Amino acid sequence: MKIAAGILSLFLGLIVLMQSCVIASTAGLSKNATFQQAGSVGLLVGLLFFVAGAFAFALPQVSAVLLVIAGLFTLMVMEHFPDMGIWAVVAFALAGMARLAWKPLRPGEKGGATTDAPAPANPTSAERREPTLGGPSNGDGGRA
């Protein structure tokens, strides 16, 4: 699930970046401040999508938080840039996918990552052997 969320976030982030870049640049040429601001927020949303996609592979919880933030930014400019409503739904859906990848499984459930990793071996102090410089010691201080 986290691989799908990561790949989709990366790909869709590039699409949002390109779309918002076009909106911001054409708004700048036409001197329309409202569209220019909406395009700038869209660039930020595209960057958040892209960064969330990068984090989705190793840290899906960070990815989910970034996608929720991106979704909230899209809701702010949805009045002036209606396409952002679609990106808000996509951001929240991808955040849900990342959240599902983040959820640890209970013992006995199948699929995904398990939380039942074997404990690392930790020898007790009696089992630890300190290395000596002169080789094995026979108890007489290293003398033969």
Side-chain angles (χ1 to χ4, degrees), residues 81-92:
F81 189 7
D83 289 352
M84 283 298 182
I86 297 168
W87 294 119
V89 172
V90 170
F92 291 133

mmCIF file with all atom_site columns, all heavy atoms in Angstrom, residues 81-92:
data_model
loop_
_atom_site.group_PDB
_atom_site.id
_atom_site.type_symbol
_atom_site.label_atom_id
_atom_site.label_alt_id
_atom_site.label_comp_id
_atom_site.label_asym_id
_atom_site.label_entity_id
_atom_site.label_seq_id
_atom_site.pdbx_PDB_ins_code
_atom_site.Cartn_x
_atom_site.Cartn_y
_atom_site.Cartn_z
_atom_site.occupancy
_atom_site.B_iso_or_equiv
_atom_site.pdbx_formal_charge
_atom_site.auth_seq_id
_atom_site.auth_comp_id
_atom_site.auth_asym_id
_atom_site.auth_atom_id
_atom_site.pdbx_PDB_model_num
ATOM 1  N N   . PHE A 1 81 ? -9.486  28.719 -7.742  1.00 0.00 ? 81 PHE A N   1
ATOM 2  C CA  . PHE A 1 81 ? -8.844  27.748 -8.621  1.00 0.00 ? 81 PHE A CA  1
ATOM 3  C C   . PHE A 1 81 ? -9.606  26.427 -8.443  1.00 0.00 ? 81 PHE A C   1
ATOM 4  O O   . PHE A 1 81 ? -9.234  25.587 -7.627  1.00 0.00 ? 81 PHE A O   1
ATOM 5  C CB  . PHE A 1 81 ? -7.374  27.623 -8.213  1.00 0.00 ? 81 PHE A CB  1
ATOM 6  C CG  . PHE A 1 81 ? -6.496  26.830 -9.123  1.00 0.00 ? 81 PHE A CG  1
ATOM 7  C CD1 . PHE A 1 81 ? -6.914  26.348 -10.339 1.00 0.00 ? 81 PHE A CD1 1
ATOM 8  C CD2 . PHE A 1 81 ? -5.184  26.572 -8.744  1.00 0.00 ? 81 PHE A CD2 1
ATOM 9  C CE1 . PHE A 1 81 ? -6.081  25.624 -11.154 1.00 0.00 ? 81 PHE A CE1 1
ATOM 10 C CE2 . PHE A 1 81 ? -4.343  25.855 -9.553  1.00 0.00 ? 81 PHE A CE2 1
ATOM 11 C CZ  . PHE A 1 81 ? -4.786  25.376 -10.759 1.00 0.00 ? 81 PHE A CZ  1
ATOM 12 N N   . PRO A 1 82 ? -10.712 26.232 -9.179  1.00 0.00 ? 82 PRO A N   1
ATOM 13 C CA  . PRO A 1 82 ? -11.617 25.100 -8.934  1.00 0.00 ? 82 PRO A CA  1
ATOM 14 C C   . PRO A 1 82 ? -10.970 23.722 -9.077  1.00 0.00 ? 82 PRO A C   1
ATOM 15 O O   . PRO A 1 82 ? -11.417 22.773 -8.436  1.00 0.00 ? 82 PRO A O   1
ATOM 16 C CB  . PRO A 1 82 ? -12.719 25.280 -9.983  1.00 0.00 ? 82 PRO A CB  1
ATOM 17 C CG  . PRO A 1 82 ? -12.616 26.676 -10.455 1.00 0.00 ? 82 PRO A CG  1
ATOM 18 C CD  . PRO A 1 82 ? -11.213 27.106 -10.241 1.00 0.00 ? 82 PRO A CD  1
ATOM 19 N N   . ASP A 1 83 ? -9.910  23.612 -9.873  1.00 0.00 ? 83 ASP A N   1
ATOM 20 C CA  . ASP A 1 83 ? -9.253  22.315 -10.009 1.00 0.00 ? 83 ASP A CA  1
ATOM 21 C C   . ASP A 1 83 ? -8.652  21.839 -8.693  1.00 0.00 ? 83 ASP A C   1
ATOM 22 O O   . ASP A 1 83 ? -8.430  20.643 -8.499  1.00 0.00 ? 83 ASP A O   1
ATOM 23 C CB  . ASP A 1 83 ? -8.136  22.387 -11.056 1.00 0.00 ? 83 ASP A CB  1
ATOM 24 C CG  . ASP A 1 83 ? -8.681  22.520 -12.463 1.00 0.00 ? 83 ASP A CG  1
ATOM 25 O OD1 . ASP A 1 83 ? -9.906  22.399 -12.628 1.00 0.00 ? 83 ASP A OD1 1
ATOM 26 O OD2 . ASP A 1 83 ? -7.884  22.743 -13.386 1.00 0.00 ? 83 ASP A OD2 1
ATOM 27 N N   . MET A 1 84 ? -8.388  22.752 -7.808  1.00 0.00 ? 84 MET A N   1
ATOM 28 C CA  . MET A 1 84 ? -7.805  22.376 -6.526  1.00 0.00 ? 84 MET A CA  1
ATOM 29 C C   . MET A 1 84 ? -8.770  21.535 -5.681  1.00 0.00 ? 84 MET A C   1
ATOM 30 O O   . MET A 1 84 ? -8.334  20.816 -4.798  1.00 0.00 ? 84 MET A O   1
ATOM 31 C CB  . MET A 1 84 ? -7.365  23.609 -5.741  1.00 0.00 ? 84 MET A CB  1
ATOM 32 C CG  . MET A 1 84 ? -6.083  24.186 -6.238  1.00 0.00 ? 84 MET A CG  1
ATOM 33 S SD  . MET A 1 84 ? -4.778  22.976 -6.034  1.00 0.00 ? 84 MET A SD  1
ATOM 34 C CE  . MET A 1 84 ? -3.408  23.873 -6.621  1.00 0.00 ? 84 MET A CE  1
ATOM 35 N N   . GLY A 1 85 ? -10.056 21.625 -5.944  1.00 0.00 ? 85 GLY A N   1
ATOM 36 C CA  . GLY A 1 85 ? -11.012 20.756 -5.248  1.00 0.00 ? 85 GLY A CA  1
ATOM 37 C C   . GLY A 1 85 ? -10.759 19.296 -5.554  1.00 0.00 ? 85 GLY A C   1
ATOM 38 O O   . GLY A 1 85 ? -10.853 18.429 -4.678  1.00 0.00 ? 85 GLY A O   1
ATOM 39 N N   . ILE A 1 86 ? -10.408 19.023 -6.803  1.00 0.00 ? 86 ILE A N   1
ATOM 40 C CA  . ILE A 1 86 ? -10.079 17.648 -7.197  1.00 0.00 ? 86 ILE A CA  1
ATOM 41 C C   . ILE A 1 86 ? -8.800  17.206 -6.494  1.00 0.00 ? 86 ILE A C   1
ATOM 42 O O   . ILE A 1 86 ? -8.715  16.090 -5.977  1.00 0.00 ? 86 ILE A O   1
ATOM 43 C CB  . ILE A 1 86 ? -9.932  17.557 -8.724  1.00 0.00 ? 86 ILE A CB  1
ATOM 44 C CG1 . ILE A 1 86 ? -11.261 17.882 -9.388  1.00 0.00 ? 86 ILE A CG1 1
ATOM 45 C CG2 . ILE A 1 86 ? -9.419  16.191 -9.146  1.00 0.00 ? 86 ILE A CG2 1
ATOM 46 C CD1 . ILE A 1 86 ? -11.175 18.114 -10.874 1.00 0.00 ? 86 ILE A CD1 1
ATOM 47 N N   . TRP A 1 87 ? -7.807  18.109 -6.457  1.00 0.00 ? 87 TRP A N   1
ATOM 48 C CA  . TRP A 1 87 ? -6.543  17.752 -5.807  1.00 0.00 ? 87 TRP A CA  1
ATOM 49 C C   . TRP A 1 87 ? -6.709  17.596 -4.304  1.00 0.00 ? 87 TRP A C   1
ATOM 50 O O   . TRP A 1 87 ? -5.952  16.851 -3.671  1.00 0.00 ? 87 TRP A O   1
ATOM 51 C CB  . TRP A 1 87 ? -5.470  18.779 -6.146  1.00 0.00 ? 87 TRP A CB  1
ATOM 52 C CG  . TRP A 1 87 ? -5.107  18.772 -7.599  1.00 0.00 ? 87 TRP A CG  1
ATOM 53 C CD1 . TRP A 1 87 ? -5.239  19.807 -8.480  1.00 0.00 ? 87 TRP A CD1 1
ATOM 54 C CD2 . TRP A 1 87 ? -4.601  17.670 -8.359  1.00 0.00 ? 87 TRP A CD2 1
ATOM 55 N NE1 . TRP A 1 87 ? -4.840  19.407 -9.724  1.00 0.00 ? 87 TRP A NE1 1
ATOM 56 C CE2 . TRP A 1 87 ? -4.434  18.100 -9.686  1.00 0.00 ? 87 TRP A CE2 1
ATOM 57 C CE3 . TRP A 1 87 ? -4.276  16.362 -8.051  1.00 0.00 ? 87 TRP A CE3 1
ATOM 58 C CZ2 . TRP A 1 87 ? -3.954  17.275 -10.692 1.00 0.00 ? 87 TRP A CZ2 1
ATOM 59 C CZ3 . TRP A 1 87 ? -3.797  15.531 -9.062  1.00 0.00 ? 87 TRP A CZ3 1
ATOM 60 C CH2 . TRP A 1 87 ? -3.635  15.989 -10.355 1.00 0.00 ? 87 TRP A CH2 1
ATOM 61 N N   . ALA A 1 88 ? -7.700  18.271 -3.706  1.00 0.00 ? 88 ALA A N   1
ATOM 62 C CA  . ALA A 1 88 ? -7.963  18.085 -2.275  1.00 0.00 ? 88 ALA A CA  1
ATOM 63 C C   . ALA A 1 88 ? -8.451  16.666 -2.011  1.00 0.00 ? 88 ALA A C   1
ATOM 64 O O   . ALA A 1 88 ? -7.994  15.998 -1.075  1.00 0.00 ? 88 ALA A O   1
ATOM 65 C CB  . ALA A 1 88 ? -8.987  19.100 -1.783  1.00 0.00 ? 88 ALA A CB  1
ATOM 66 N N   . VAL A 1 89 ? -9.381  16.202 -2.852  1.00 0.00 ? 89 VAL A N   1
ATOM 67 C CA  . VAL A 1 89 ? -9.893  14.833 -2.698  1.00 0.00 ? 89 VAL A CA  1
ATOM 68 C C   . VAL A 1 89 ? -8.767  13.829 -2.890  1.00 0.00 ? 89 VAL A C   1
ATOM 69 O O   . VAL A 1 89 ? -8.628  12.861 -2.126  1.00 0.00 ? 89 VAL A O   1
ATOM 70 C CB  . VAL A 1 89 ? -11.051 14.580 -3.698  1.00 0.00 ? 89 VAL A CB  1
ATOM 71 C CG1 . VAL A 1 89 ? -11.457 13.123 -3.704  1.00 0.00 ? 89 VAL A CG1 1
ATOM 72 C CG2 . VAL A 1 89 ? -12.227 15.471 -3.367  1.00 0.00 ? 89 VAL A CG2 1
ATOM 73 N N   . VAL A 1 90 ? -7.926  14.060 -3.895  1.00 0.00 ? 90 VAL A N   1
ATOM 74 C CA  . VAL A 1 90 ? -6.795  13.157 -4.159  1.00 0.00 ? 90 VAL A CA  1
ATOM 75 C C   . VAL A 1 90 ? -5.819  13.163 -2.982  1.00 0.00 ? 90 VAL A C   1
ATOM 76 O O   . VAL A 1 90 ? -5.333  12.107 -2.557  1.00 0.00 ? 90 VAL A O   1
ATOM 77 C CB  . VAL A 1 90 ? -6.095  13.555 -5.477  1.00 0.00 ? 90 VAL A CB  1
ATOM 78 C CG1 . VAL A 1 90 ? -4.793  12.798 -5.650  1.00 0.00 ? 90 VAL A CG1 1
ATOM 79 C CG2 . VAL A 1 90 ? -7.011  13.315 -6.659  1.00 0.00 ? 90 VAL A CG2 1
ATOM 80 N N   . ALA A 1 91 ? -5.535  14.346 -2.433  1.00 0.00 ? 91 ALA A N   1
ATOM 81 C CA  . ALA A 1 91 ? -4.606  14.439 -1.303  1.00 0.00 ? 91 ALA A CA  1
ATOM 82 C C   . ALA A 1 91 ? -5.134  13.685 -0.094  1.00 0.00 ? 91 ALA A C   1
ATOM 83 O O   . ALA A 1 91 ? -4.388  12.937 0.557   1.00 0.00 ? 91 ALA A O   1
ATOM 84 C CB  . ALA A 1 91 ? -4.360  15.898 -0.945  1.00 0.00 ? 91 ALA A CB  1
ATOM 85 N N   . PHE A 1 92 ? -6.418  13.845 0.202   1.00 0.00 ? 92 PHE A N   1
ATOM 86 C CA  . PHE A 1 92 ? -6.979  13.142 1.360   1.00 0.00 ? 92 PHE A CA  1
ATOM 87 C C   . PHE A 1 92 ? -7.058  11.631 1.117   1.00 0.00 ? 92 PHE A C   1
ATOM 88 O O   . PHE A 1 92 ? -6.855  10.837 2.043   1.00 0.00 ? 92 PHE A O   1
ATOM 89 C CB  . PHE A 1 92 ? -8.342  13.722 1.733   1.00 0.00 ? 92 PHE A CB  1
ATOM 90 C CG  . PHE A 1 92 ? -8.262  15.119 2.288   1.00 0.00 ? 92 PHE A CG  1
ATOM 91 C CD1 . PHE A 1 92 ? -9.111  16.105 1.818   1.00 0.00 ? 92 PHE A CD1 1
ATOM 92 C CD2 . PHE A 1 92 ? -7.348  15.458 3.268   1.00 0.00 ? 92 PHE A CD2 1
ATOM 93 C CE1 . PHE A 1 92 ? -9.049  17.407 2.321   1.00 0.00 ? 92 PHE A CE1 1
ATOM 94 C CE2 . PHE A 1 92 ? -7.268  16.748 3.775   1.00 0.00 ? 92 PHE A CE2 1
ATOM 95 C CZ  . PHE A 1 92 ? -8.121  17.721 3.300   1.00 0.00 ? 92 PHE A CZ  1
#
